[in-house]
């Protein structure tokens, strides 16, 4: 998710620090353009595009295979891509739940051994305060909820899944020097809601321009979780731009986190 918004702003700052950055994005045109722009602005030629469509588990597996073959090092995985649109993926899951959670879950699992071998390493999952309205039922994961606001509920559910994914990953990786953080970057004016229903756009878009922060500001919270020293004891925690915060109660439910993990493994074929 590095071709625009928070992802592009995060990639730009990492490149400025001298990191080798892989932009994993769905659109080759936008991904190549973003990589070229970042190389030009930073003078860092180690910024590359690789194709990844999180709405396709086949694409996730292909990306992971290519990455592991070509890139011997992985110290930081930032799961940033997100959509708020409705719809169904080629794998039969709701679009926001697969892109925002299942695709990232599979990607993280496929890259986990490389993260371990390059430890200390970090996984940063871009979540949202919208997790407060999430309602996860393990038996119906991946199926869009019903009701007038089903797309919004689906988005909130996926963000709760992000928070719980970070929590359970941290639990399972204790002792490996792989740490994980879920972060709410603030309300940021990005293209996240470009696929919102037409009737909702007249409300959302002016609100975004008036009240939401710029992507570079939102990226600061993500960059903090990615690069700040001394965060290891806080692995699994939920962060905002102000630092670690208590997630909403559902985001601290260890039993639900474990159920989500086990069900997600089955859904993605692990």
């Amino acid at each position: 998710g590095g071709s625009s918004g928070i992802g592009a702003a995060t990639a730009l700052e990492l490149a400025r620090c001298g990191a080798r950055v892989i932009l994993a994005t769905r659109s080759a045109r936008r991904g190549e353009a973003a990589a070229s722009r970042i190389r030009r602005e930073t003078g860092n030629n180690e910024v590359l595009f690789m194709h990844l469509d999180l709405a396709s588990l086949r694409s996730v597996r292909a990306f992971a295979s290519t990455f592991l073959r070509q890139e011997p090092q992985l110290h930081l995985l930032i799961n940033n891509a997100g959509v708020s649109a409705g719809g169904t993926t080629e794998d039969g899951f709701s679009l926001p739940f697969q892109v925002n959670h299942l695709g990232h879950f599979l990607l993280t699992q496929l890259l986990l051994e490389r993260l371990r071998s390059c430890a200390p390493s970090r996984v940063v999952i871009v979540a949202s305060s919208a997790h407060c309205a999430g309602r996860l039922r393990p038996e119906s994961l991946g199926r869009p909820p019903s009701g007038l606001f089903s797309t919004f509920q689906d988005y909130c559910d996926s963000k709760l899944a992000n928070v719980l994914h970070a929590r359970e990953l941290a639990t399972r990786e204790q002792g490996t020097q792989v740490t994980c953080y879920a972060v709410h970057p603030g309300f940021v004016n990005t293209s996240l809601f470009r696929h919102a229903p037409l009737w909702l756009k007249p409300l959302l878009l002016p609100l975004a321009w008036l009240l939401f922060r710029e992507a570079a500001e939102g990226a600061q919270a993500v960059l903090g979780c990615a690069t700040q020293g001394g965060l290891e004891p806080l692995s699994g925690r939920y962060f905002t731009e102000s630092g670690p915060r208590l997630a909403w109660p559902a985001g601290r439910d260890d039993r639900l986190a474990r159920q989500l993990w086990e069900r997600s493994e089955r859904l993605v074929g692990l």
Side-chain angles (χ1 to χ4, degrees), residues 155-172:
Y155 176 77
C156 294
D157 293 351
S158 72
K159 295 291 108 179
L160 175 57
N162 290 158
V163 174
L164 291 172
H165 178 200
R167 191 174 183 89
E168 183 67 10
L169 179 60
T171 298
R172 291 174 181 249

Side-chain angles (χ1 to χ4, degrees), residues 180-223:
C180 185
Y181 313 90
V183 56
H184 167 56
F187 295 101
V188 178
N189 185 17
T190 71
S191 56
L192 175 66
F193 293 103
R194 65 187 179 275
H195 297 304
L198 288 175
W199 62 269
L200 196 54
K201 284 187 177 182
L203 172 64
L204 283 178
L205 298 184
L207 195 65
W209 284 109
L210 286 170
L211 301 178
F212 287 14
R213 312 161 77 200
E214 291 301 312
E217 295 177 274
Q220 293 308 306
V222 179
L223 287 162

Side-chain angles (χ1 to χ4, degrees), residues 51-67 90-91 98-99 102-111 268:
H51 178 261
L52 170 64
D53 182 0
L54 290 162
S56 164
L57 298 181
R58 177 171 42 86
S59 175
V60 175
R61 292 180 184 278
F63 168 86
S65 176
T66 301
F67 180 91
E90 65 180 46
D91 301 292
Q98 177 165 337
V99 171
L102 286 175
H104 284 135
F105 177 84
L106 176 60
L107 178 65
T108 303
Q109 289 301 94
L110 295 175
L111 299 180
V268 301

Side-chain angles (χ1 to χ4, degrees), residues 90-150:
E90 65 180 46
D91 301 292
F93 303 116
S94 79
L95 181 65
F97 197 79
Q98 177 165 337
V99 171
N100 300 352
H101 169 62
L102 286 175
H104 284 135
F105 177 84
L106 176 60
L107 178 65
T108 303
Q109 289 301 94
L110 295 175
L111 299 180
L112 193 52
E113 193 54 48
R114 181 62 50 85
L115 286 162
R116 288 172 182 154
S117 70
C118 296
S121 55
R122 293 183 182 185
V123 178
V124 178
I125 302 175
V126 179
S128 168
S129 61
H131 79 274
C132 69
R135 297 195 303 263
L136 290 178
R137 298 176 179 83
E139 68 279 359
S140 60
L141 278 184
R143 296 203 297 267
S146 57
L148 180 61
F149 298 103
S150 61

Side-chain angles (χ1 to χ4, degrees), residues 13-96:
E13 293 307 314
L14 290 172
R16 280 195 175 126
C17 294
R20 178 174 174 85
V21 181
I22 307 298
L23 300 182
T25 68
R26 180 174 58 89
S27 166
R29 178 180 59 81
R30 291 197 301 271
E32 293 282 13
S36 176
R37 183 176 66 252
I38 293 171
R39 288 194 298 266
R40 187 170 61 251
E41 288 187 29
T42 63
N44 181 349
N45 288 322
E46 299 292 303
V47 181
L48 306 174
F49 157 78
M50 286 179 62
H51 178 261
L52 170 64
D53 182 0
L54 290 162
S56 164
L57 298 181
R58 177 171 42 86
S59 175
V60 175
R61 292 180 184 278
F63 168 86
S65 176
T66 301
F67 180 91
L68 292 171
R69 188 170 62 251
Q70 295 180 358
E71 299 291 329
Q73 300 292 320
L74 179 60
H75 303 99
L76 176 62
L77 172 62
I78 301 181
N79 291 329
N80 165 82
V83 298
S84 62
T88 304
T89 69
E90 65 180 46
D91 301 292
F93 303 116
S94 79
L95 181 65

